[in-house]
Amino acid sequence: MRMMRGFILLLATSVVPSIVLAQTYPTSKDPRSNLKPGRYDAGIAISNMKQVSHVKKPAAFDSAAGLKYINSDLAFGTHYVYQANFAGFTIWDITDPANPVMASATKCITSQGDPTIVGNLLFLSAEGAGNRNDCGDGGVQDPKDHMAGVRIFDVSNPKAPKLVKNVQTCKGSHTHTLVPSPKDPRTIYLYVSGQQAARPETELAGCNNGTDPSDPTNSLFQLDIIKVPLDHPEQAHVIPGARIFTGLDGEGECKQFCAPADPRRQAAMANRTAPDPEMPTGPRNCHDVTAYPEMNLLAASCSTHSIVVDISNPEKPVRLDALTDTNNFQGRHTAAFSNDGKKLIQTDEWGGGTGPMCQASSMIELGGNTVITLDAKKKQTQRAYFKLPSAQAAEENCVSHNGGIIPVPGRDLYVQGWYQGGVNIMDFTSADSAFEIGYFDRGSITPPRGADVPQPPVDPNVRGGGNAIGGSWGAYYWNGLIFSSELDRGMDILELTPSAQLSANEIAAAKLVRFDAYNPQSQPKMTWPPAFVVVRSYLDQLVRNSGLASARTAAISSALDIAEMKSGVARATALNALARDVDKDVAGAKDGARVRTMAGEIRRLAAASK
C-alpha cells in the first residue's frame, strides 16, 4: 500500500482535458452501498461465498491510531498464515480454519512489513524513518540505529520467532518479491522496491542520489536485489540492482479518464520549487513487482509504467517492454499474471489507499484494475478496466489493492482486497469484458457524520479525512480458502459457494491445486491432476456460455456419469470413446477451443484410469 506516497501520487495528477471521453461510475443500488457502520458489529453483504471465521488483531496490535498498528500483507506456509503489521507480525495456526489459533505476535516496528516465507525464514520489508535495528518503539535517535531494508526472522519455532539479520538497502523496502535461483534451490533473490530517496552516505555507505539512470553508482533508478543463501541467511547481502528504467520517459499528458483537480495539488504546485531539469521524467522506483518464475517473467508496477522483465538470470534482469496509457493512471500498484502468462492485471491505487475513491462520483476507470494482453514477444496491449461496481460511503477508504489468482481451470479469476470496499472476485477470462462474480463487504468503521449535530470540519491533510482507516489490504486464495488481511479488524477466512457464475465442479477443481507455501508476489504455476471435476468444469463453462449445443452437453454429462461408475480399463475405454466423440464437436462448436481442451482432459483422465 502506498500510504506514505498517496499525497505525492495526487500531486502527479494531470490537468483535465477539454474533451473528456465517456466515463462510467459505480452503482448505489447494491447491497454493499448502505451497510450499517461499526468496528466489529458492522453490517455484512456477501455473495457467492461464505465466511468461515474471523479473528481480531492480537492485543499487542489492537489500535487504530494512525497507521502504526495496522495489518498489512499475508504469506502462507504449511498450516500457518503470516500476517504482517506495521508494528510486527502475527503467526496464525489454521489447522482448523474455522478456529484460527494465534501461535505468536511479535512486536517489531517495521512499516510496512511486506512478508515472504521460505521454509523457516520470514522476510519483512522495512521502510520509513521510525524503524530501528532492535525492532524497538520510540523512533530513531541515532542514524546508525536506523533500519531500512529487509528483516530476516527464523520462525522454525512459530511461538518464538528470532531476528536473524537486518539487510540494509539504500532506499529501504516498501515491498519485496521472491525470485528463486534457477540453478541453486538453496539460493533465492529478493527484488526490493524502495519508495524513498537514497539514504545519506553518512548513514549507509555507497548510497547516492543521482540523475543518470544508467549510472551504476546511482541508487535511485533501480530495484535493489538481495541474494540470500538459505542455509546461511546471516550472509544475505545486496548485489548490483535491476536497472530496468534506463531510457524511459514520463507518462505524458492525460487525455482521457483524468482525475478531477485536487485543491491540495494546486496549493502544493504553487509553493513547490522548480523541478531539477536534469532529472529524468520516467520512473525510478516500482511500488511492487510480481514474479512468475515458471515463465521467467516479472511484471513491475512502477507508478506511470507497467514493465515486463525477463528474469531467467535473476542477477541480470532484462526489460522486455514498458507500457503507459492515456488514462491518468494514479499509481500502478500491484500486478498479476493469468495462469497461461498471456494476460496481465495492473491495479491502480488512486489516492494512496486512505481516500474514499469508490463513491458514486468516483469513475470506474480510475482506482481499479486494467487488463493487459501480452503477445509472443511480451509486448503489452491495454484492454478493459474493472473496478468494484458498488458505490461505497464517504467514510470508507476504498481503492483497488492486492490479490491473487483463483485456480479454476479454463477461467481467469482474480480475488482481491479493496480496503473498506471489502473483497471481491473478478473474472477476466475475456480481456475486454472483465466482470464481478462474488464479494464480501462490511459497513464503514466510522459512522456517517450527523446532519443535525455540529461536526468538526474535514481536514484534507489528515489521512482518511479523519475517518478510521481499515478494510482488506489483500485477499488471496490458498488451498481451498480465501484469506483477507483486515487492516483494523483482524483477519477473515472465506470459502467459495456454488452459484450461476461458479459451479460446484469448478470450486472442487480449484481445491485440487495445493501448495505447501504461497507468497502472492511470487506467483506459482497452477496445474490440475486428472479428475472428473476438471472435465466437468469445462463442461459447465460450455453450458454457461452456450459454447456447445445443449443436446451435446447433456450427452457428454451422461457419458461422464457412466464412465465414473466404471473402474480400471473399463473406465479408460469409456473415456477414450467419449474423447473421440467430443473431438467431432470441435468444428461446429461456438467455443471450439474449450471443447478441444475438454477432450484433452478426458484423455488425460483416461490415461490415469488404467
Side-chain angles (χ1 to χ4, degrees):
M1 178 180 62
R2 203 184 303 241
M3 291 286 195
M4 306 301 180
R5 299 258 303 161
F7 179 59
I8 297 173
L9 287 174
L10 286 172
L11 298 187
T13 303
S14 300
V15 177
V16 179
S18 57
I19 299 177
V20 179
L21 301 183
Q23 301 153 347
T24 52
Y25 295 88
T27 177
S28 297
K29 298 178 180 179
D30 187 283
R32 290 165 282 182
S33 295
N34 296 288
L35 292 171
K36 173 183 173 292
R39 191 179 186 200
Y40 293 120
D41 61 346
I44 289 177
I46 189 165
S47 174
N48 298 339
M49 60 180 82
K50 66 180 181 180
Q51 187 177 22
V52 176
S53 61
H54 170 76
V55 286
K56 296 180 180 179
K57 286 198 297 187
F61 305 135
D62 188 18
S63 170
L67 304 179
K68 184 174 180 179
Y69 294 104
I70 64 170
N71 288 325
S72 57
D73 222 338
L74 301 174
F76 307 86
T78 62
H79 56 285
Y80 294 107
V81 175
Y82 301 85
Q83 184 177 32
N85 184 285
F86 274 44
F89 60 94
T90 305
I91 302 178
W92 297 102
D93 184 334
I94 53 142
T95 301
D96 178 6
N99 185 33
V101 176
M102 185 181 72
S104 61
T106 302
K107 290 200 71 172
C108 181
I109 304 301
T110 309
S111 60
Q112 59 185 16
D114 192 49
T116 291
I117 185 72
V118 182
N120 292 323
L121 298 176
L122 179 67
F123 302 88
L124 295 177
S125 285
E127 183 182 66
N131 305 316
R132 295 192 339 208
N133 288 321
D134 64 359
C135 287
D137 204 343
V140 176
Q141 282 73 46
D142 189 332
K144 68 178 176 58
D145 296 328
H146 182 205
M147 168 54 199
V150 175
R151 299 191 194 273
I152 306 176
F153 282 85
D154 180 344
V155 293
S156 54
N157 179 357
K159 295 182 178 181
K162 296 180 180 178
L163 181 63
V164 174
K165 184 173 184 176
N166 293 315
V167 184
Q168 303 278 3
T169 63
C170 284
K171 297 178 294 183
S173 176
H174 196 64
T175 64
H176 70 269
T177 297
L178 165 67
V179 177
S181 168
K183 297 180 179 179
D184 181 3
R186 301 305 300 164
T187 296
I188 64 167
Y189 299 89
L190 301 178
Y191 276 44
V192 178
S193 299
Q195 298 294 306
Q196 303 174 150
R199 297 155 76 179
E201 173 83 19
T202 54
E203 182 174 310
L204 185 62
C207 298
N208 174 30
N209 286 301
T211 59
D212 182 359
S214 63
D215 178 3
T217 68
N218 179 0
S219 305
L220 293 183
F221 292 84
Q222 67 172 4
L223 299 176
D224 291 323
I225 301 176
I226 298 173
K227 186 174 184 178
V228 184
L230 295 176
D231 295 329
H232 294 282
E234 73 282 356
Q235 297 177 12
H237 61 284
V238 177
I239 64 173
R243 295 199 170 273
I244 61 173
F245 308 114
T246 304
L248 293 181
D249 295 324
E251 64 185 319
E253 182 181 359
C254 176
K255 296 181 180 179
Q256 63 176 335
F257 308 135
C258 302
D262 185 278
R264 290 174 295 179
R265 173 184 181 271
Q266 294 172 329
M269 291 291 288
N271 296 324
R272 76 173 187 171
T273 58
D276 183 348
E278 296 183 359
M279 182 65 73
T281 58
R284 67 183 194 185
N285 292 309
C286 300
H287 178 278
D288 220 326
V289 300
T290 296
Y292 198 172
E294 182 77 16
M295 295 191 174
N296 293 320
L297 290 176
L298 180 139
S301 305
C302 309
S303 186
T304 57
H305 287 66
S306 170
I307 302 176
V308 178
V309 181
D310 180 343
I311 54 170
S312 52
N313 181 349
E315 296 192 16
K316 295 182 179 180
V318 177
R319 187 179 78 221
L320 300 175
D321 188 49
L323 172 73
T324 60
D325 60 38
T326 55
N327 175 20
N328 183 22
F329 223 70
Q330 293 295 290
R332 286 177 174 82
H333 181 281
T334 306
F337 291 93
S338 60
N339 195 51
D340 63 8
K342 295 181 180 180
K343 291 196 284 289
L344 182 64
I345 298 167
Q346 285 280 1
T347 71
D348 173 17
E349 196 181 35
W350 181 20
T354 60
M357 301 303 191
C358 303
Q359 295 177 271
S361 59
S362 305
M363 72 178 81
I364 279 177
E365 291 79 12
L366 287 177
N369 305 332
T370 185
V371 181
I372 296 167
T373 52
L374 302 175
D375 67 14
K377 295 183 179 180
K378 309 308 176 188
K379 300 298 181 183
Q380 303 174 83
T381 301
Q382 180 160 323
R383 308 291 283 271
Y385 293 109
F386 171 87
K387 189 175 180 180
L388 191 73
S390 167
Q392 300 288 297
E395 294 76 33
E396 295 179 288
N397 57 302
C398 175
V399 74
S400 173
H401 212 232
N402 292 354
I405 301 299
I406 298 177
V408 171
R411 298 176 73 179
D412 295 316
L413 304 182
Y414 185 67
V415 60
Q416 71 184 117
W418 296 78
Y419 296 115
Q420 288 200 70
V423 175
N424 88 339
I425 300 171
M426 173 185 72
D427 183 321
F428 67 108
T429 308
S430 168
D432 294 316
S433 56
F435 61 96
E436 181 182 69
I437 67 168
Y439 59 77
F440 169 77
D441 188 20
R442 291 185 177 89
S444 63
I445 299 171
T446 304
R449 292 170 172 256
D452 300 322
V453 179
Q455 299 285 336
V458 174
D459 185 348
N461 296 313
V462 175
R463 289 191 179 94
N467 294 316
I469 302 299
S472 179
W473 177 288
Y476 308 104
Y477 182 98
W478 181 56
N479 293 352
L481 298 167
I482 291 170
F483 298 80
S484 170
S485 179
E486 226 284 357
L487 280 74
D488 178 59
R489 295 173 172 117
M491 182 177 73
D492 294 295
I493 301 180
L494 309 166
E495 187 172 15
L496 298 170
T497 57
S499 69
Q501 296 174 313
L502 188 66
S503 71
N505 288 315
E506 291 172 307
I507 293 171
K511 289 183 177 181
L512 296 176
V513 179
R514 302 188 68 83
F515 297 102
D516 289 337
Y518 174 43
N519 295 294
Q521 293 167 338
S522 186
Q523 188 171 323
K525 176 74 172 178
M526 297 172 180
T527 59
W528 295 263
F532 279 94
V533 291
V534 173
V535 176
R536 290 189 175 111
S537 292
Y538 287 102
L539 186 61
D540 290 346
Q541 292 158 20
L542 289 165
V543 171
R544 189 183 296 119
N545 71 0
S546 300
L548 184 62
S550 58
R552 284 300 300 143
T553 57
I556 293 168
S557 179
S558 178
L560 285 171
D561 291 342
I562 293 171
E564 192 170 16
M565 290 188 289
K566 302 177 185 294
S567 61
V569 174
R571 174 184 285 183
T573 299
L575 288 169
N576 279 321
L578 176 59
R580 290 192 292 271
D581 286 342
V582 172
D583 286 339
K584 300 172 185 176
D585 293 321
V586 172
K590 178 182 174 183
D591 189 352
R594 198 176 303 273
V595 174
R596 183 181 295 109
T597 300
M598 182 173 67
E601 287 299 322
I602 295 171
R603 285 191 171 85
R604 205 160 66 98
L605 182 56
S609 300
K610 294 179 180 178

